[in-house]
Amino acid sequence: MAKQHRTAYLDYVRRSCDLTMRGGTTSGVIYPLAVCALAEHYVFRNVGGASAGAIGAAATAAAEYGRYAQPAGPVTGDAVRPGFAGLAGMIRWLISGTGDARWRLPRLFQPKPALHKAFRLVTALMQSPAVTGRRRFTSVATAVLFAVKPLVTVVLLLLFALWLVGPYSLRWVVPPSTWNGSLWIVAVPLGVVAVAAAVWAYRVAAARLGKITLFLLLPLAIGLSGVPLYDMDANGWLVASAVLVVCWLVLTFAVAAAIAVIYCVTSWPVVMRYRSHRFGLVPGSAEYSPGRLDRICGMPSTPAPPLATWLADRIDDLAGIDHTRALTFGDLWRGPDKPRVSDPEYCPSTGDRVINLALMTTDLSAGRPHQLPFPATERWQFCPECLRDLVPGRVIAQMSGDDVDGVSCPEHTSVTLQWLPQPCEMPVVLAARMSLPLPGLICPIPLYRDGRPHWFSDGGITSNFPIHFFDSLLPRWPTFGLNLSSADRAVKDGEIHLPDQDSSTPREPYSDVGGTALSFAGRILDTFMDWRDTMQSALPGFRGRIATIPQGPGEGGTNLFMSPAVISRLALRGRDAGIALRQRFTAQFDDEADGYTRTDRYRWIRLRLALREWREVALQADARSVLYRDRTAHYPVPAAMRDWFTGPTLPPTADPAAADINCAYQHFVDLANTCLAKQFDGTAPVDPVMRLTPPE
C-alpha cells in the first residue's frame, strides 16, 4: 500500500506545475495558447501574474477549474467553452472578425463618456495606413480640432487660416516691389540668416514629425508664389523672400504657442479634477458607443462589451459556471469536485488548495505592493458607488450586504461603506481588475481602510513578473515563467528564448536606450520596475524554466490596434514557448542519464542551492553563538510585544519557547561541524541572498 501511495504521489507531482506570467497590456494575447500547450501534460496548481499577466493567470485558473466541465449555457457570440478549449476560443474570437469587427481588442477599451475626446486622441495616435487604413496625421488633426468646444474650434480654424495665408497676405501690407534697390550688403546676410533659420526649424520638426513636416512648408510656398520675378531686381527679390521666411517662422511659432495655450487652458480643469474621473480614461465596465468623429479618428464601433464585463463573463465561461455568481477564490481552493457554497471562514493553507491563484497589485496610497487575495487578517472596505462603472454590476451585487456600521463613503456621504468579502468569497475578476490598471489609461480601484481611500493600480509597477510567488528552497515541481521582451526588428516565426539549464554564463538582457529623451526615460522606468525580476530570472534554477517571447515593432505592449494576423502570430509564438517548456521538462534528452529528465536536473540544482543556504546559516550560528545561543532563555519579553503571543494576556518574563529555540539553535551549530563545514564542489556559481522581506 505504501508503494502504491508513493507511486500515486510521484505521478501527482510529475503532472503538476506552477505558472507565472509577465504583464504587458495587449501582450496578454500571447498567453492562451502557451497555457494550452502546457495543459496537455501539466495540471496547474499555482498560477500568478501581474497587470495583463493577471488576466492570463485568472483565465488559466478558471480554465483549470473547468477542465472537465460542460458549458453552463449556449456558446454564442463572444462566449467560450469551459476549460482550455475556451482559452483558445478567446483568441479565435479576437481574430475571427472582418471589416470593423477586426478591431475587437481595442473595442474592449471603452472610455468614460466625459473623457471620450481624450481617448479619441489616444486612438488617433495609434492609426497607421498599413494596419488600420487611416493616416495618423489626419486622425490626430481631427481629434485635436474637435477635442474642444465649438467656439474654440472656430478660433483654431481661424488661427490655421491665418498661418496658411499669412505669408501670402503680406504682399498686400508691404508690396514686394518695396524692396527693390536694396543693397547687396543687406540682402545677402538677411537671406542667409533667413534660410539658415528655416532649415534649422525644418530639421528640428522633421526629426519629430517625419514626412508631415512637408505640410509645414505649405504657407511658405504659397507666400513665395506671390513674389513676382518680372518686376523685381535680384536684391529686392532676395530681401522679400527673406521677409516671407521670417513671417512664416514667426506665424508658425506664434500659432503653435497659441494652440498650446488654448489646449492647456481647456484641459487644465480636467487635469486638476482628474480624481473625479477616477484617474483614468477607461473605467472598465461602462459602455460607450462611438460617434461619427470617434470613428473618423479610428475608434472601432464593432459590438463588444467593456473590458471588465468581458473578463468577468469569460472567466465564468472558462470555469463552466453560469453568470449568476462570479467565480471566487474559494471555488478555486475547493476545486470543481466540491459544491460551490458560501463559507466566509474557509481559508485553507496554500498547500491544501486545489488551485491557488495569486495576483499582484500596487497600493499607490501606501506606496507598496499587495498580493491578492488579501490575507484574512486584513479587512478592507468598499463603496458600491465608487466601484460603479469600474467593476461589473453583478460582481458588486455579489459582494454587497455586509455594511460597516456608521461609516459612510468620504466621496458619497449618503452611501455606507461595506466590508470587502473574506478571501474565499472575493471574486476572481475583482482581483484581476485590481491588478491590470495601466496608469493613465485604465482607472485604478479604490478601497477603504481607516476611513481613507487606497487606490490600487497596475501590479506591474512593483513587480511585473512575480516569478517569486510560488518558489521555495526545495520545490516539488517547476514554476514555469512566460516572459516578454521587445525587439527593434521583425521577429521570426517560432523565435523564442529558453536558456539552457547548464553551467554556461547566462545571457545578459539588453535593450537599446534609443536616441530620444522619451525612450531614455522609458528605459529608466523599465529598469526601476523590473530589475529584481530580471536578475532573479537569470539565476540557475530559474532561467531554464522561463521562456521569453520577443515582440517586434507593432506587436504587443500598448498597441491596441493589432491586426488579426499580428494577434495570431503572437499567439502562435506563445504556443511555441509552451511546447518548448513542456518538452524540456518531460522529454528524455541525450545528455541525461536514462530515466532522468530536465525536471530531475532542476531539482538537483535547487537542492545544491538550498544546501548552500543551510550551510551559510549553520556557519553563522556557530560563529555567533555567544550572541544568540542563550538569548531567548534570559531576555525578558517586553509588554509591547504581547500581541505576538497567543497564550496569556501578559507576556511571560522569558520566551515560553526558549528551550525549543535553544535546541533548534544547537542543531544548527552542530551542522556547522558536519559535512556542511566544507564547500561542496559543483555548486552553481551564484550567491542567492536570503533576507527577511516584508509580505506583499
Side-chain angles (χ1 to χ4, degrees):
M1 182 63 69
K3 184 177 181 180
Q4 292 177 349
H5 286 324
R6 182 177 185 275
T7 302
Y9 174 75
L10 291 177
D11 186 65
Y12 170 83
V13 170
R14 184 175 63 87
R15 290 285 183 176
S16 299
C17 78
D18 303 336
L19 180 63
T20 304
M21 287 168 269
R22 186 186 187 92
T25 316
T26 59
S27 303
V29 299
I30 290 174
Y31 298 136
L33 297 190
V35 170
C36 291
L38 287 169
E40 292 182 19
H41 176 85
Y42 289 104
V43 174
F44 297 101
R45 306 297 180 187
N46 299 281
V47 191
S51 191
I55 297 179
T60 300
E64 187 61 68
Y65 183 90
R67 182 187 282 259
Y68 303 110
Q70 295 297 319
V75 183
T76 59
D78 57 348
V80 295
R81 296 183 60 81
F84 298 100
L87 273 180
M90 293 170 68
I91 296 296
R92 187 182 303 111
W93 178 76
L94 288 174
I95 66 175
S96 61
T98 58
D100 196 48
R102 293 179 301 160
W103 311 117
R104 286 171 173 166
L105 178 61
R107 184 70 180 105
L108 295 175
F109 295 80
Q110 300 186 20
K112 186 175 183 178
L115 297 179
H116 75 281
K117 293 181 179 180
F119 187 77
R120 181 194 296 164
L121 178 59
V122 173
T123 302
L125 289 169
M126 297 181 182
Q127 301 306 302
S128 167
V131 179
T132 62
R134 291 184 174 88
R135 293 189 176 277
R136 183 178 303 169
F137 175 76
T138 305
S139 300
V140 171
T142 304
V144 169
L145 186 61
F146 293 98
V148 291
K149 296 180 179 179
L151 181 60
V152 181
T153 301
V154 172
V155 173
L156 291 173
L157 290 173
L158 291 176
L159 285 174
F160 175 75
L162 174 64
W163 171 75
L164 188 63
V165 303
Y168 185 84
S169 303
L170 186 64
R171 67 193 302 266
W172 296 317
V173 179
V174 181
S177 58
T178 305
W179 308 109
N180 282 333
S182 299
L183 298 177
W184 67 267
I185 199 171
V186 175
V188 173
L190 185 61
V192 170
V193 171
V195 171
V199 170
W200 171 81
Y202 179 82
R203 293 182 63 181
V204 170
R208 289 157 177 79
L209 302 177
K211 296 179 180 179
I212 300 176
T213 312
L214 294 174
F215 177 75
L216 299 179
L217 298 177
L218 184 59
L220 182 59
I222 295 175
L224 290 175
S225 68
V227 180
L229 297 175
Y230 53 87
D231 61 350
M232 295 190 66
D233 57 37
N235 289 346
W237 189 91
L238 189 60
V239 172
S241 299
V243 170
L244 277 177
V245 170
V246 172
C247 178
W248 168 69
L249 287 173
V250 170
L251 278 176
T252 299
F253 284 108
V255 170
I259 292 175
V261 170
I262 288 173
Y263 278 98
C264 286
V265 172
T266 304
S267 61
W268 187 252
V270 176
V271 173
M272 296 306 294
R273 294 197 298 269
Y274 205 40
R275 183 190 183 106
S276 64
H277 297 291
R278 295 291 184 263
F279 301 109
L281 302 178
V282 177
S285 63
E287 295 186 358
Y288 177 76
S289 298
R292 185 170 61 88
L293 284 175
D294 297 325
R295 295 192 296 272
I296 291 175
C297 295
M299 198 180 300
S301 58
T302 182
L307 179 61
T309 302
W310 176 81
L311 181 59
D313 293 344
R314 297 298 75 77
I315 286 176
D316 291 346
D317 289 345
L318 293 170
I321 61 178
D322 57 35
H323 298 174
T324 57
R325 181 173 179 268
L327 184 72
T328 65
F329 281 89
D331 296 331
L332 297 177
W333 298 345
R334 294 185 188 93
D337 296 332
K338 293 184 179 180
R340 301 180 67 215
V341 296
S342 178
D343 182 5
E345 303 302 322
Y346 179 72
C347 190
S349 62
T350 301
D352 293 330
R353 298 170 183 175
V354 177
I355 305 169
N356 182 46
L357 174 65
L359 305 178
M360 181 69 77
T361 186
T362 302
D363 183 351
L364 298 179
S365 303
R368 55 156 294 182
H370 278 278
Q371 181 176 317
L372 299 173
F374 295 113
T377 54
E378 288 189 23
R379 295 306 309 272
W380 290 86
Q381 302 146 8
F382 73 95
C383 169
E385 188 63 24
C386 289
L387 294 186
R388 187 170 59 87
D389 294 340
L390 304 183
V391 180
R394 67 181 180 94
V395 177
I396 298 175
Q398 178 176 324
M399 297 190 300
S400 300
D402 190 5
D403 292 349
V404 181
D405 294 337
V407 181
S408 299
C409 174
E411 297 192 22
H412 305 94
T413 54
S414 61
V415 180
T416 302
L417 291 180
Q418 303 199 17
W419 289 108
L420 194 71
Q422 290 284 0
C424 64
E425 295 295 309
M426 184 177 186
V428 169
V429 67
L430 175 63
R433 177 64 181 82
M434 291 175 65
S435 180
L436 67 86
L438 182 67
L441 179 63
I442 302 176
C443 299
I445 297 292
L447 296 180
Y448 291 86
R449 190 160 65 176
D450 301 326
R452 298 178 299 184
H454 289 247
W455 294 88
F456 289 89
S457 188
D458 192 342
I461 296 174
T462 46
S463 182
N464 207 26
F465 187 38
I467 191 68
H468 61 283
F469 265 174
F470 313 118
D471 251 327
S472 60
L473 277 177
L474 296 176
R476 290 182 292 176
W477 46 70
T479 297
F480 295 127
L482 293 175
N483 196 11
L484 305 172
S485 66
S486 298
D488 56 1
R489 54 172 176 80
V491 179
K492 300 177 182 178
D493 292 341
E495 181 180 347
I496 62 170
H497 178 62
L498 183 59
D500 289 329
Q501 188 71 288
D502 55 21
S503 59
S504 62
T505 302
R507 186 187 71 168
E508 185 176 54
Y510 177 82
S511 295
D512 190 85
V513 297
T516 66
L518 188 61
S519 63
F520 184 69
R523 289 308 308 158
I524 292 176
L525 181 62
D526 290 342
T527 303
F528 174 75
M529 294 192 303
D530 299 338
W531 69 269
R532 182 181 67 173
D533 300 331
T534 300
M535 294 185 68
Q536 189 172 18
S537 300
L539 296 178
F542 285 82
R543 65 173 183 258
R545 53 189 171 90
I546 298 175
T548 300
I549 301 100
Q551 303 165 100
E555 296 180 342
T558 55
N559 181 25
L560 301 182
F561 287 86
M562 293 189 295
S563 67
V566 173
I567 295 176
S568 299
R569 192 161 60 242
L570 288 174
L572 292 175
R573 208 174 294 159
R575 182 202 61 181
D576 294 337
I579 292 174
L581 283 170
R582 188 189 72 215
Q583 291 180 344
R584 164 168 290 188
F585 281 81
T586 59
Q588 174 74 57
F589 288 86
D590 293 339
D591 60 344
E592 296 283 1
D594 290 342
Y596 290 90
T597 65
R598 289 290 196 273
T599 302
D600 298 295
R601 177 186 294 194
Y602 164 69
R603 292 196 182 106
W604 176 79
I605 293 174
R606 296 306 295 263
L607 173 61
R608 299 300 297 269
L609 293 176
L611 286 172
R612 170 180 284 191
E613 289 295 294
W614 296 335
R615 176 178 181 272
E616 182 66 23
V617 172
L619 293 177
Q620 287 187 15
D622 184 34
R624 303 167 189 178
S625 61
V626 68
L627 301 175
Y628 290 95
R629 184 190 299 274
D630 299 325
R631 178 62 57 192
T632 55
H634 303 295
Y635 179 69
V637 180
M641 296 182 179
R642 68 181 62 183
D643 291 339
W644 286 14
F645 297 88
T646 59
T649 304
L650 293 177
T653 56
D655 195 319
D660 293 335
I661 292 175
N662 285 337
C663 177
Y665 191 93
Q666 184 59 46
H667 282 303
F668 277 111
V669 173
D670 294 340
L671 283 174
N673 299 307
T674 64
C675 55
L676 279 179
K678 63 180 181 180
Q679 177 70 50
F680 296 122
D681 185 34
T683 303
V686 62
D687 289 319
V689 180
M690 179 182 287
R691 293 287 186 268
L692 292 176
T693 57
E696 294 167 340

